Amino acid sequence: MKTPKPESVILQTLLDAEPGVVSGAALAKELGMSRVAVWQHMEKLREQGFQFEALHAKGYRLVGRPATLNPALIDAYRRADRAPGVVHVLDEVDSTNDEALRRLSNGDPTPFVILARRQTKGRGRFGRVWHSESGNLYATFAFRPEVEPARMQTFTLWMGVNICELIAKFCRTDPGVKWPNDILFEGRKAGGMLTEARMDADRIRDLVFGIGLNLTPPDGGWPAELAERAISIGEYTRQPVDPNRFAAALTGRVFAAYQKFVDGDYADEFADLWNRHDLLRGRNITLLQGNRTVTGVAKGIDDEGSLLLKPAEGPVERFRAGEVTIEKKK
Ligand code: BTN
């Protein structure tokens, strides 16, 4: 792990001590610097929206933190969790996927993740626009996986159930995955995933995994075209989600899930998690693939991650890709 910035160490020390206080002398000792230098770093944190209570002759307590993504705070949470990987936090970017692809092309070492407060050209599947105002989470993880391309078909599904599991534990709620890349609450979309791989002959050169997650509704409410279809975790649970704590936990979970995937050590857990979070099994669905439409009952997935669909007539069919609509229960 790289050497932490003094701001991260101050935050981590104060977070570790909560609800207690930490003396200026203890912070100075932890950082190996003078109390004046510590105070200057605390000033920098105040400028970013942190608030400290100074208790006479006792020390400091963290009493306020910024509402938007903050690199020092994410780093502090991640250090407490000993999370691997490198995190870059940007204020604004066209698309975190595009930024990650550019950095991979530049030869940046992997793994890393780009988090952005907002995107100006957020992209979804099929070239759709991903609504990317500030307040929600836009993240892209970048890897150079040394695995056979054929195995990558389950990658997004494996990541999806890991993220559902994280949301379930972190927010005490129960999201589901709609094959292949949506995260839903009660039929409304709270998140979407976009995995893009670049190939060299028959091997994967590099891969980005993008996730957009709605933590809160946009300030002015959802745009009309999304109002019926979108939901945020905060709206569903009626609890605000701390974006920094959540982002730190997300990075830890995704990097760990990636490692299990690369090590090939995930099949049993994947089957369990898929059964827990699969929203389609047993439901009547319609799948659109190119200009073909198939309606039937969803029967889970096979070992390669293909969707199994039993039409009214004929045997179960497998689909590697496509867009699913869930039919309303009668
Ligand atoms: C979809 O549901 O169609 C996938 C949406 C993926 C959106 C995320 S937001 C972070 C990353 N950057 C992008 O431009 N897209 C993905």
Side-chain angles (χ1 to χ4, degrees), residues 94-97 119 121-125 128 130 132 137-140 181-182 189 191-194 210-212:
D94 50 359
S95 148
T96 51
N97 271 32
Q119 303 182 111
K121 286 191 186 143
R123 307 189 272 113
R125 284 172 87 213
R128 289 183 189 135
W130 186 258
S132 303
L137 205 69
Y138 313 107
T140 298
N181 75 318
D182 291 349
K189 187 156 165 170
M193 298 173 282
L194 185 65
I211 166 97

mmCIF file with all atom_site columns, all heavy atoms in Angstrom, residues 94-97 119 121-125 128 130 132 137-140 181-182 189 191-194 210-212, ligand 1:
data_model
loop_
_atom_site.group_PDB
_atom_site.id
_atom_site.type_symbol
_atom_site.label_atom_id
_atom_site.label_alt_id
_atom_site.label_comp_id
_atom_site.label_asym_id
_atom_site.label_entity_id
_atom_site.label_seq_id
_atom_site.pdbx_PDB_ins_code
_atom_site.Cartn_x
_atom_site.Cartn_y
_atom_site.Cartn_z
_atom_site.occupancy
_atom_site.B_iso_or_equiv
_atom_site.pdbx_formal_charge
_atom_site.auth_seq_id
_atom_site.auth_comp_id
_atom_site.auth_asym_id
_atom_site.auth_atom_id
_atom_site.pdbx_PDB_model_num
ATOM   1   N N   . ASP A 1 94  ? -15.735 12.854 -18.544 1.00 0.00 ? 94  ASP A N   1
ATOM   2   C CA  . ASP A 1 94  ? -16.738 12.487 -19.559 1.00 0.00 ? 94  ASP A CA  1
ATOM   3   C C   . ASP A 1 94  ? -17.418 11.186 -19.135 1.00 0.00 ? 94  ASP A C   1
ATOM   4   O O   . ASP A 1 94  ? -18.625 11.140 -18.909 1.00 0.00 ? 94  ASP A O   1
ATOM   5   C CB  . ASP A 1 94  ? -16.114 12.423 -20.967 1.00 0.00 ? 94  ASP A CB  1
ATOM   6   C CG  . ASP A 1 94  ? -14.841 11.598 -21.058 1.00 0.00 ? 94  ASP A CG  1
ATOM   7   O OD1 . ASP A 1 94  ? -14.392 11.072 -20.020 1.00 0.00 ? 94  ASP A OD1 1
ATOM   8   O OD2 . ASP A 1 94  ? -14.288 11.464 -22.170 1.00 0.00 ? 94  ASP A OD2 1
ATOM   9   N N   . SER A 1 95  ? -16.627 10.123 -19.028 1.00 0.00 ? 95  SER A N   1
ATOM   10  C CA  . SER A 1 95  ? -17.162 8.833  -18.586 1.00 0.00 ? 95  SER A CA  1
ATOM   11  C C   . SER A 1 95  ? -16.031 8.136  -17.834 1.00 0.00 ? 95  SER A C   1
ATOM   12  O O   . SER A 1 95  ? -14.881 8.131  -18.320 1.00 0.00 ? 95  SER A O   1
ATOM   13  C CB  . SER A 1 95  ? -17.586 8.020  -19.815 1.00 0.00 ? 95  SER A CB  1
ATOM   14  O OG  . SER A 1 95  ? -17.404 6.629  -19.594 1.00 0.00 ? 95  SER A OG  1
ATOM   15  N N   . THR A 1 96  ? -16.323 7.582  -16.677 1.00 0.00 ? 96  THR A N   1
ATOM   16  C CA  . THR A 1 96  ? -15.257 6.896  -15.918 1.00 0.00 ? 96  THR A CA  1
ATOM   17  C C   . THR A 1 96  ? -14.732 5.705  -16.721 1.00 0.00 ? 96  THR A C   1
ATOM   18  O O   . THR A 1 96  ? -13.555 5.377  -16.629 1.00 0.00 ? 96  THR A O   1
ATOM   19  C CB  . THR A 1 96  ? -15.756 6.450  -14.532 1.00 0.00 ? 96  THR A CB  1
ATOM   20  O OG1 . THR A 1 96  ? -16.975 5.719  -14.691 1.00 0.00 ? 96  THR A OG1 1
ATOM   21  C CG2 . THR A 1 96  ? -15.981 7.620  -13.599 1.00 0.00 ? 96  THR A CG2 1
ATOM   22  N N   . ASN A 1 97  ? -15.608 5.048  -17.516 1.00 0.00 ? 97  ASN A N   1
ATOM   23  C CA  . ASN A 1 97  ? -15.112 3.953  -18.367 1.00 0.00 ? 97  ASN A CA  1
ATOM   24  C C   . ASN A 1 97  ? -14.089 4.483  -19.369 1.00 0.00 ? 97  ASN A C   1
ATOM   25  O O   . ASN A 1 97  ? -13.031 3.895  -19.556 1.00 0.00 ? 97  ASN A O   1
ATOM   26  C CB  . ASN A 1 97  ? -16.268 3.288  -19.135 1.00 0.00 ? 97  ASN A CB  1
ATOM   27  C CG  . ASN A 1 97  ? -16.896 2.139  -18.359 1.00 0.00 ? 97  ASN A CG  1
ATOM   28  O OD1 . ASN A 1 97  ? -16.927 2.172  -17.129 1.00 0.00 ? 97  ASN A OD1 1
ATOM   29  N ND2 . ASN A 1 97  ? -17.398 1.135  -19.050 1.00 0.00 ? 97  ASN A ND2 1
ATOM   30  N N   . GLN A 1 119 ? -20.500 12.755 -14.328 1.00 0.00 ? 119 GLN A N   1
ATOM   31  C CA  . GLN A 1 119 ? -20.002 12.454 -15.671 1.00 0.00 ? 119 GLN A CA  1
ATOM   32  C C   . GLN A 1 119 ? -20.769 13.328 -16.671 1.00 0.00 ? 119 GLN A C   1
ATOM   33  O O   . GLN A 1 119 ? -21.974 13.552 -16.511 1.00 0.00 ? 119 GLN A O   1
ATOM   34  C CB  . GLN A 1 119 ? -20.261 10.994 -16.036 1.00 0.00 ? 119 GLN A CB  1
ATOM   35  C CG  . GLN A 1 119 ? -19.661 9.976  -15.085 1.00 0.00 ? 119 GLN A CG  1
ATOM   36  C CD  . GLN A 1 119 ? -19.922 8.548  -15.546 1.00 0.00 ? 119 GLN A CD  1
ATOM   37  O OE1 . GLN A 1 119 ? -19.018 7.845  -15.937 1.00 0.00 ? 119 GLN A OE1 1
ATOM   38  N NE2 . GLN A 1 119 ? -21.167 8.133  -15.491 1.00 0.00 ? 119 GLN A NE2 1
ATOM   39  N N   . LYS A 1 121 ? -20.592 12.508 -20.004 1.00 0.00 ? 121 LYS A N   1
ATOM   40  C CA  . LYS A 1 121 ? -21.015 11.594 -21.088 1.00 0.00 ? 121 LYS A CA  1
ATOM   41  C C   . LYS A 1 121 ? -21.103 10.175 -20.556 1.00 0.00 ? 121 LYS A C   1
ATOM   42  O O   . LYS A 1 121 ? -20.504 9.248  -21.124 1.00 0.00 ? 121 LYS A O   1
ATOM   43  C CB  . LYS A 1 121 ? -20.002 11.646 -22.237 1.00 0.00 ? 121 LYS A CB  1
ATOM   44  C CG  . LYS A 1 121 ? -20.099 12.910 -23.054 1.00 0.00 ? 121 LYS A CG  1
ATOM   45  C CD  . LYS A 1 121 ? -19.268 12.798 -24.312 1.00 0.00 ? 121 LYS A CD  1
ATOM   46  C CE  . LYS A 1 121 ? -19.257 14.129 -25.040 1.00 0.00 ? 121 LYS A CE  1
ATOM   47  N NZ  . LYS A 1 121 ? -17.973 14.425 -25.647 1.00 0.00 ? 121 LYS A NZ  1
ATOM   48  N N   . GLY A 1 122 ? -21.827 10.014 -19.444 1.00 0.00 ? 122 GLY A N   1
ATOM   49  C CA  . GLY A 1 122 ? -21.998 8.675  -18.877 1.00 0.00 ? 122 GLY A CA  1
ATOM   50  C C   . GLY A 1 122 ? -22.688 7.782  -19.893 1.00 0.00 ? 122 GLY A C   1
ATOM   51  O O   . GLY A 1 122 ? -23.645 8.196  -20.541 1.00 0.00 ? 122 GLY A O   1
ATOM   52  N N   . ARG A 1 123 ? -22.163 6.562  -20.052 1.00 0.00 ? 123 ARG A N   1
ATOM   53  C CA  . ARG A 1 123 ? -22.698 5.653  -21.078 1.00 0.00 ? 123 ARG A CA  1
ATOM   54  C C   . ARG A 1 123 ? -23.285 4.413  -20.447 1.00 0.00 ? 123 ARG A C   1
ATOM   55  O O   . ARG A 1 123 ? -22.780 3.909  -19.452 1.00 0.00 ? 123 ARG A O   1
ATOM   56  C CB  . ARG A 1 123 ? -21.586 5.185  -22.021 1.00 0.00 ? 123 ARG A CB  1
ATOM   57  C CG  . ARG A 1 123 ? -20.776 6.248  -22.636 1.00 0.00 ? 123 ARG A CG  1
ATOM   58  C CD  . ARG A 1 123 ? -19.863 5.674  -23.709 1.00 0.00 ? 123 ARG A CD  1
ATOM   59  N NE  . ARG A 1 123 ? -18.582 5.229  -23.163 1.00 0.00 ? 123 ARG A NE  1
ATOM   60  C CZ  . ARG A 1 123 ? -18.185 3.964  -23.104 1.00 0.00 ? 123 ARG A CZ  1
ATOM   61  N NH1 . ARG A 1 123 ? -18.972 2.988  -23.520 1.00 0.00 ? 123 ARG A NH1 1
ATOM   62  N NH2 . ARG A 1 123 ? -16.994 3.645  -22.647 1.00 0.00 ? 123 ARG A NH2 1
ATOM   63  N N   . GLY A 1 124 ? -24.374 3.920  -21.070 1.00 0.00 ? 124 GLY A N   1
ATOM   64  C CA  . GLY A 1 124 ? -24.938 2.647  -20.662 1.00 0.00 ? 124 GLY A CA  1
ATOM   65  C C   . GLY A 1 124 ? -24.797 1.633  -21.783 1.00 0.00 ? 124 GLY A C   1
ATOM   66  O O   . GLY A 1 124 ? -24.082 1.886  -22.764 1.00 0.00 ? 124 GLY A O   1
ATOM   67  N N   . ARG A 1 125 ? -25.452 0.496  -21.635 1.00 0.00 ? 125 ARG A N   1
ATOM   68  C CA  . ARG A 1 125 ? -25.423 -0.507 -22.714 1.00 0.00 ? 125 ARG A CA  1
ATOM   69  C C   . ARG A 1 125 ? -26.121 0.045  -23.945 1.00 0.00 ? 125 ARG A C   1
ATOM   70  O O   . ARG A 1 125 ? -26.958 0.934  -23.841 1.00 0.00 ? 125 ARG A O   1
ATOM   71  C CB  . ARG A 1 125 ? -26.162 -1.778 -22.276 1.00 0.00 ? 125 ARG A CB  1
ATOM   72  C CG  . ARG A 1 125 ? -25.381 -2.624 -21.316 1.00 0.00 ? 125 ARG A CG  1
ATOM   73  C CD  . ARG A 1 125 ? -26.256 -3.718 -20.796 1.00 0.00 ? 125 ARG A CD  1
ATOM   74  N NE  . ARG A 1 125 ? -26.258 -4.898 -21.630 1.00 0.00 ? 125 ARG A NE  1
ATOM   75  C CZ  . ARG A 1 125 ? -27.304 -5.707 -21.806 1.00 0.00 ? 125 ARG A CZ  1
ATOM   76  N NH1 . ARG A 1 125 ? -28.457 -5.440 -21.251 1.00 0.00 ? 125 ARG A NH1 1
ATOM   77  N NH2 . ARG A 1 125 ? -27.208 -6.777 -22.538 1.00 0.00 ? 125 ARG A NH2 1
ATOM   78  N N   . ARG A 1 128 ? -26.617 3.846  -24.776 1.00 0.00 ? 128 ARG A N   1
ATOM   79  C CA  . ARG A 1 128 ? -27.587 4.740  -24.129 1.00 0.00 ? 128 ARG A CA  1
ATOM   80  C C   . ARG A 1 128 ? -26.874 5.714  -23.195 1.00 0.00 ? 128 ARG A C   1
ATOM   81  O O   . ARG A 1 128 ? -25.779 5.449  -22.719 1.00 0.00 ? 128 ARG A O   1
ATOM   82  C CB  . ARG A 1 128 ? -28.577 3.924  -23.300 1.00 0.00 ? 128 ARG A CB  1
ATOM   83  C CG  . ARG A 1 128 ? -29.513 3.133  -24.180 1.00 0.00 ? 128 ARG A CG  1
ATOM   84  C CD  . ARG A 1 128 ? -30.525 2.388  -23.327 1.00 0.00 ? 128 ARG A CD  1
ATOM   85  N NE  . ARG A 1 128 ? -31.276 1.484  -24.164 1.00 0.00 ? 128 ARG A NE  1
ATOM   86  C CZ  . ARG A 1 128 ? -31.555 0.219  -23.859 1.00 0.00 ? 128 ARG A CZ  1
ATOM   87  N NH1 . ARG A 1 128 ? -31.173 -0.297 -22.708 1.00 0.00 ? 128 ARG A NH1 1
ATOM   88  N NH2 . ARG A 1 128 ? -32.223 -0.544 -24.688 1.00 0.00 ? 128 ARG A NH2 1
ATOM   89  N N   . TRP A 1 130 ? -26.236 7.482  -19.687 1.00 0.00 ? 130 TRP A N   1
ATOM   90  C CA  . TRP A 1 130 ? -26.427 7.183  -18.267 1.00 0.00 ? 130 TRP A CA  1
ATOM   91  C C   . TRP A 1 130 ? -26.474 8.520  -17.527 1.00 0.00 ? 130 TRP A C   1
ATOM   92  O O   . TRP A 1 130 ? -25.493 9.259  -17.495 1.00 0.00 ? 130 TRP A O   1
ATOM   93  C CB  . TRP A 1 130 ? -25.288 6.302  -17.723 1.00 0.00 ? 130 TRP A CB  1
ATOM   94  C CG  . TRP A 1 130 ? -25.520 5.861  -16.300 1.00 0.00 ? 130 TRP A CG  1
ATOM   95  C CD1 . TRP A 1 130 ? -24.927 6.390  -15.188 1.00 0.00 ? 130 TRP A CD1 1
ATOM   96  C CD2 . TRP A 1 130 ? -26.407 4.837  -15.838 1.00 0.00 ? 130 TRP A CD2 1
ATOM   97  N NE1 . TRP A 1 130 ? -25.396 5.742  -14.059 1.00 0.00 ? 130 TRP A NE1 1
ATOM   98  C CE2 . TRP A 1 130 ? -26.299 4.782  -14.429 1.00 0.00 ? 130 TRP A CE2 1
ATOM   99  C CE3 . TRP A 1 130 ? -27.285 3.957  -16.484 1.00 0.00 ? 130 TRP A CE3 1
ATOM   100 C CZ2 . TRP A 1 130 ? -27.029 3.885  -13.659 1.00 0.00 ? 130 TRP A CZ2 1
ATOM   101 C CZ3 . TRP A 1 130 ? -28.008 3.052  -15.702 1.00 0.00 ? 130 TRP A CZ3 1
ATOM   102 C CH2 . TRP A 1 130 ? -27.880 3.030  -14.317 1.00 0.00 ? 130 TRP A CH2 1
ATOM   103 N N   . SER A 1 132 ? -25.995 11.253 -15.169 1.00 0.00 ? 132 SER A N   1
ATOM   104 C CA  . SER A 1 132 ? -24.831 11.237 -14.252 1.00 0.00 ? 132 SER A CA  1
ATOM   105 C C   . SER A 1 132 ? -24.625 12.542 -13.496 1.00 0.00 ? 132 SER A C   1
ATOM   106 O O   . SER A 1 132 ? -23.533 13.109 -13.474 1.00 0.00 ? 132 SER A O   1
ATOM   107 C CB  . SER A 1 132 ? -23.563 10.909 -15.036 1.00 0.00 ? 132 SER A CB  1
ATOM   108 O OG  . SER A 1 132 ? -23.666 9.691  -15.710 1.00 0.00 ? 132 SER A OG  1
ATOM   109 N N   . LEU A 1 137 ? -23.190 7.491  -7.548  1.00 0.00 ? 137 LEU A N   1
ATOM   110 C CA  . LEU A 1 137 ? -21.864 6.897  -7.614  1.00 0.00 ? 137 LEU A CA  1
ATOM   111 C C   . LEU A 1 137 ? -21.560 6.444  -9.035  1.00 0.00 ? 137 LEU A C   1
ATOM   112 O O   . LEU A 1 137 ? -22.364 5.701  -9.630  1.00 0.00 ? 137 LEU A O   1
ATOM   113 C CB  . LEU A 1 137 ? -21.840 5.689  -6.674  1.00 0.00 ? 137 LEU A CB  1
ATOM   114 C CG  . LEU A 1 137 ? -20.464 5.321  -6.175  1.00 0.00 ? 137 LEU A CG  1
ATOM   115 C CD1 . LEU A 1 137 ? -19.939 6.382  -5.221  1.00 0.00 ? 137 LEU A CD1 1
ATOM   116 C CD2 . LEU A 1 137 ? -20.521 3.986  -5.471  1.00 0.00 ? 137 LEU A CD2 1
ATOM   117 N N   . TYR A 1 138 ? -20.420 6.885  -9.554  1.00 0.00 ? 138 TYR A N   1
ATOM   118 C CA  . TYR A 1 138 ? -19.967 6.483  -10.888 1.00 0.00 ? 138 TYR A CA  1
ATOM   119 C C   . TYR A 1 138 ? -18.556 5.942  -10.709 1.00 0.00 ? 138 TYR A C   1
ATOM   120 O O   . TYR A 1 138 ? -17.663 6.694  -10.282 1.00 0.00 ? 138 TYR A O   1
ATOM   121 C CB  . TYR A 1 138 ? -19.977 7.684  -11.847 1.00 0.00 ? 138 TYR A CB  1
ATOM   122 C CG  . TYR A 1 138 ? -21.283 8.457  -11.743 1.00 0.00 ? 138 TYR A CG  1
ATOM   123 C CD1 . TYR A 1 138 ? -21.335 9.704  -11.125 1.00 0.00 ? 138 TYR A CD1 1
ATOM   124 C CD2 . TYR A 1 138 ? -22.465 7.877  -12.191 1.00 0.00 ? 138 TYR A CD2 1
ATOM   125 C CE1 . TYR A 1 138 ? -22.536 10.365 -10.974 1.00 0.00 ? 138 TYR A CE1 1
ATOM   126 C CE2 . TYR A 1 138 ? -23.675 8.547  -12.039 1.00 0.00 ? 138 TYR A CE2 1
ATOM   127 C CZ  . TYR A 1 138 ? -23.704 9.792  -11.423 1.00 0.00 ? 138 TYR A CZ  1
ATOM   128 O OH  . TYR A 1 138 ? -24.894 10.437 -11.262 1.00 0.00 ? 138 TYR A OH  1
ATOM   129 N N   . ALA A 1 139 ? -18.373 4.676  -10.976 1.00 0.00 ? 139 ALA A N   1
ATOM   130 C CA  . ALA A 1 139 ? -17.074 4.056  -10.697 1.00 0.00 ? 139 ALA A CA  1
ATOM   131 C C   . ALA A 1 139 ? -16.702 3.128  -11.838 1.00 0.00 ? 139 ALA A C   1
ATOM   132 O O   . ALA A 1 139 ? -17.549 2.427  -12.386 1.00 0.00 ? 139 ALA A O   1
ATOM   133 C CB  . ALA A 1 139 ? -17.154 3.245  -9.407  1.00 0.00 ? 139 ALA A CB  1
ATOM   134 N N   . THR A 1 140 ? -15.412 3.141  -12.187 1.00 0.00 ? 140 THR A N   1
ATOM   135 C CA  . THR A 1 140 ? -14.915 2.152  -13.151 1.00 0.00 ? 140 THR A CA  1
ATOM   136 C C   . THR A 1 140 ? -13.631 1.533  -12.625 1.00 0.00 ? 140 THR A C   1
ATOM   137 O O   . THR A 1 140 ? -12.684 2.240  -12.261 1.00 0.00 ? 140 THR A O   1
ATOM   138 C CB  . THR A 1 140 ? -14.665 2.794  -14.530 1.00 0.00 ? 140 THR A CB  1
ATOM   139 O OG1 . THR A 1 140 ? -15.920 3.281  -15.026 1.00 0.00 ? 140 THR A OG1 1
ATOM   140 C CG2 . THR A 1 140 ? -14.123 1.764  -15.515 1.00 0.00 ? 140 THR A CG2 1
ATOM   141 N N   . ASN A 1 181 ? -27.194 -7.170 -16.373 1.00 0.00 ? 181 ASN A N   1
ATOM   142 C CA  . ASN A 1 181 ? -26.379 -6.078 -15.821 1.00 0.00 ? 181 ASN A CA  1
ATOM   143 C C   . ASN A 1 181 ? -27.138 -5.029 -15.006 1.00 0.00 ? 181 ASN A C   1
ATOM   144 O O   . ASN A 1 181 ? -26.609 -3.952 -14.768 1.00 0.00 ? 181 ASN A O   1
ATOM   145 C CB  . ASN A 1 181 ? -25.639 -5.349 -16.961 1.00 0.00 ? 181 ASN A CB  1
ATOM   146 C CG  . ASN A 1 181 ? -26.570 -4.467 -17.739 1.00 0.00 ? 181 ASN A CG  1
ATOM   147 O OD1 . ASN A 1 181 ? -27.689 -4.879 -18.029 1.00 0.00 ? 181 ASN A OD1 1
ATOM   148 N ND2 . ASN A 1 181 ? -26.148 -3.261 -18.037 1.00 0.00 ? 181 ASN A ND2 1
ATOM   149 N N   . ASP A 1 182 ? -28.373 -5.325 -14.588 1.00 0.00 ? 182 ASP A N   1
ATOM   150 C CA  . ASP A 1 182 ? -29.121 -4.307 -13.848 1.00 0.00 ? 182 ASP A CA  1
ATOM   151 C C   . ASP A 1 182 ? -29.246 -4.677 -12.371 1.00 0.00 ? 182 ASP A C   1
ATOM   152 O O   . ASP A 1 182 ? -29.416 -5.852 -12.036 1.00 0.00 ? 182 ASP A O   1
ATOM   153 C CB  . ASP A 1 182 ? -30.555 -4.188 -14.391 1.00 0.00 ? 182 ASP A CB  1
ATOM   154 C CG  . ASP A 1 182 ? -30.596 -3.592 -15.783 1.00 0.00 ? 182 ASP A CG  1
ATOM   155 O OD1 . ASP A 1 182 ? -29.563 -3.087 -16.242 1.00 0.00 ? 182 ASP A OD1 1
ATOM   156 O OD2 . ASP A 1 182 ? -31.671 -3.645 -16.404 1.00 0.00 ? 182 ASP A OD2 1
ATOM   157 N N   . LYS A 1 189 ? -34.925 0.429  -11.409 1.00 0.00 ? 189 LYS A N   1
ATOM   158 C CA  . LYS A 1 189 ? -33.469 0.280  -11.552 1.00 0.00 ? 189 LYS A CA  1
ATOM   159 C C   . LYS A 1 189 ? -32.709 1.213  -10.608 1.00 0.00 ? 189 LYS A C   1
ATOM   160 O O   . LYS A 1 189 ? -32.926 2.424  -10.610 1.00 0.00 ? 189 LYS A O   1
ATOM   161 C CB  . LYS A 1 189 ? -33.098 0.570  -13.010 1.00 0.00 ? 189 LYS A CB  1
ATOM   162 C CG  . LYS A 1 189 ? -31.662 0.305  -13.354 1.00 0.00 ? 189 LYS A CG  1
ATOM   163 C CD  . LYS A 1 189 ? -31.522 0.034  -14.840 1.00 0.00 ? 189 LYS A CD  1
ATOM   164 C CE  . LYS A 1 189 ? -30.084 0.114  -15.292 1.00 0.00 ? 189 LYS A CE  1
ATOM   165 N NZ  . LYS A 1 189 ? -29.878 -0.363 -16.650 1.00 0.00 ? 189 LYS A NZ  1
ATOM   166 N N   . GLY A 1 191 ? -29.193 0.553  -10.296 1.00 0.00 ? 191 GLY A N   1
ATOM   167 C CA  . GLY A 1 191 ? -27.807 0.529  -10.755 1.00 0.00 ? 191 GLY A CA  1
ATOM   168 C C   . GLY A 1 191 ? -27.669 -0.225 -12.056 1.00 0.00 ? 191 GLY A C   1
ATOM   169 O O   . GLY A 1 191 ? -28.509 -1.055 -12.403 1.00 0.00 ? 191 GLY A O   1
ATOM   170 N N   . GLY A 1 192 ? -26.596 0.110  -12.779 1.00 0.00 ? 192 GLY A N   1
ATOM   171 C CA  . GLY A 1 192 ? -26.314 -0.583 -14.035 1.00 0.00 ? 192 GLY A CA  1
ATOM   172 C C   . GLY A 1 192 ? -24.815 -0.803 -14.160 1.00 0.00 ? 192 GLY A C   1
ATOM   173 O O   . GLY A 1 192 ? -24.018 -0.013 -13.634 1.00 0.00 ? 192 GLY A O   1
ATOM   174 N N   . MET A 1 193 ? -24.457 -1.879 -14.843 1.00 0.00 ? 193 MET A N   1
ATOM   175 C CA  . MET A 1 193 ? -23.033 -2.226 -14.997 1.00 0.00 ? 193 MET A CA  1
ATOM   176 C C   . MET A 1 193 ? -22.683 -2.280 -16.478 1.00 0.00 ? 193 MET A C   1
ATOM   177 O O   . MET A 1 193 ? -23.503 -2.732 -17.288 1.00 0.00 ? 193 MET A O   1
ATOM   178 C CB  . MET A 1 193 ? -22.769 -3.602 -14.375 1.00 0.00 ? 193 MET A CB  1
ATOM   179 C CG  . MET A 1 193 ? -23.058 -3.647 -12.892 1.00 0.00 ? 193 MET A CG  1
ATOM   180 S SD  . MET A 1 193 ? -22.928 -5.303 -12.220 1.00 0.00 ? 193 MET A SD  1
ATOM   181 C CE  . MET A 1 193 ? -24.460 -6.047 -12.744 1.00 0.00 ? 193 MET A CE  1
ATOM   182 N N   . LEU A 1 194 ? -21.489 -1.837 -16.787 1.00 0.00 ? 194 LEU A N   1
ATOM   183 C CA  . LEU A 1 194 ? -21.019 -1.840 -18.183 1.00 0.00 ? 194 LEU A CA  1
ATOM   184 C C   . LEU A 1 194 ? -19.578 -2.335 -18.195 1.00 0.00 ? 194 LEU A C   1
ATOM   185 O O   . LEU A 1 194 ? -18.674 -1.620 -17.758 1.00 0.00 ? 194 LEU A O   1
ATOM   186 C CB  . LEU A 1 194 ? -21.097 -0.416 -18.757 1.00 0.00 ? 194 LEU A CB  1
ATOM   187 C CG  . LEU A 1 194 ? -20.757 -0.251 -20.223 1.00 0.00 ? 194 LEU A CG  1
ATOM   188 C CD1 . LEU A 1 194 ? -21.767 -0.978 -21.103 1.00 0.00 ? 194 LEU A CD1 1
ATOM   189 C CD2 . LEU A 1 194 ? -20.736 1.236  -20.598 1.00 0.00 ? 194 LEU A CD2 1
ATOM   190 N N   . GLY A 1 210 ? -17.555 -0.882 -15.277 1.00 0.00 ? 210 GLY A N   1
ATOM   191 C CA  . GLY A 1 210 ? -18.169 0.366  -14.807 1.00 0.00 ? 210 GLY A CA  1
ATOM   192 C C   . GLY A 1 210 ? -19.462 0.077  -14.071 1.00 0.00 ? 210 GLY A C   1
ATOM   193 O O   . GLY A 1 210 ? -20.242 -0.798 -14.485 1.00 0.00 ? 210 GLY A O   1
ATOM   194 N N   . ILE A 1 211 ? -19.673 0.815  -12.996 1.00 0.00 ? 211 ILE A N   1
ATOM   195 C CA  . ILE A 1 211 ? -20.931 0.665  -12.253 1.00 0.00 ? 211 ILE A CA  1
ATOM   196 C C   . ILE A 1 211 ? -21.462 2.053  -11.904 1.00 0.00 ? 211 ILE A C   1
ATOM   197 O O   . ILE A 1 211 ? -20.726 2.899  -11.399 1.00 0.00 ? 211 ILE A O   1
ATOM   198 C CB  . ILE A 1 211 ? -20.740 -0.216 -10.983 1.00 0.00 ? 211 ILE A CB  1
ATOM   199 C CG1 . ILE A 1 211 ? -21.915 -0.115 -10.015 1.00 0.00 ? 211 ILE A CG1 1
ATOM   200 C CG2 . ILE A 1 211 ? -19.477 0.099  -10.203 1.00 0.00 ? 211 ILE A CG2 1
ATOM   201 C CD1 . ILE A 1 211 ? -22.893 -1.197 -10.145 1.00 0.00 ? 211 ILE A CD1 1
ATOM   202 N N   . GLY A 1 212 ? -22.723 2.246  -12.214 1.00 0.00 ? 212 GLY A N   1
ATOM   203 C CA  . GLY A 1 212 ? -23.406 3.468  -11.796 1.00 0.00 ? 212 GLY A CA  1
ATOM   204 C C   . GLY A 1 212 ? -24.462 3.064  -10.781 1.00 0.00 ? 212 GLY A C   1
ATOM   205 O O   . GLY A 1 212 ? -25.245 2.151  -11.037 1.00 0.00 ? 212 GLY A O   1
HETATM 206 C C1  . BTN B 2 .   ? -26.549 0.166  -18.190 1.00 0.00 ? 1   BTN B C1  1
HETATM 207 O O1  . BTN B 2 .   ? -27.397 -0.095 -17.328 1.00 0.00 ? 1   BTN B O1  1
HETATM 208 O O2  . BTN B 2 .   ? -26.846 0.288  -19.382 1.00 0.00 ? 1   BTN B O2  1
HETATM 209 C C2  . BTN B 2 .   ? -25.124 0.304  -17.743 1.00 0.00 ? 1   BTN B C2  1
HETATM 210 C C3  . BTN B 2 .   ? -24.874 1.622  -17.092 1.00 0.00 ? 1   BTN B C3  1
HETATM 211 C C4  . BTN B 2 .   ? -23.414 1.807  -16.657 1.00 0.00 ? 1   BTN B C4  1
HETATM 212 C C5  . BTN B 2 .   ? -23.157 3.190  -16.125 1.00 0.00 ? 1   BTN B C5  1
HETATM 213 C C6  . BTN B 2 .   ? -21.801 3.311  -15.508 1.00 0.00 ? 1   BTN B C6  1
HETATM 214 S S1  . BTN B 2 .   ? -21.608 4.809  -14.611 1.00 0.00 ? 1   BTN B S1  1
HETATM 215 C C7  . BTN B 2 .   ? -19.923 4.508  -14.436 1.00 0.00 ? 1   BTN B C7  1
HETATM 216 C C8  . BTN B 2 .   ? -19.436 3.958  -15.774 1.00 0.00 ? 1   BTN B C8  1
HETATM 217 N N1  . BTN B 2 .   ? -19.136 5.044  -16.690 1.00 0.00 ? 1   BTN B N1  1
HETATM 218 C C9  . BTN B 2 .   ? -19.946 5.050  -17.739 1.00 0.00 ? 1   BTN B C9  1
HETATM 219 O O3  . BTN B 2 .   ? -19.906 5.884  -18.669 1.00 0.00 ? 1   BTN B O3  1
HETATM 220 N N2  . BTN B 2 .   ? -20.829 4.053  -17.644 1.00 0.00 ? 1   BTN B N2  1
HETATM 221 C C10 . BTN B 2 .   ? -20.615 3.254  -16.455 1.00 0.00 ? 1   BTN B C10 1
#
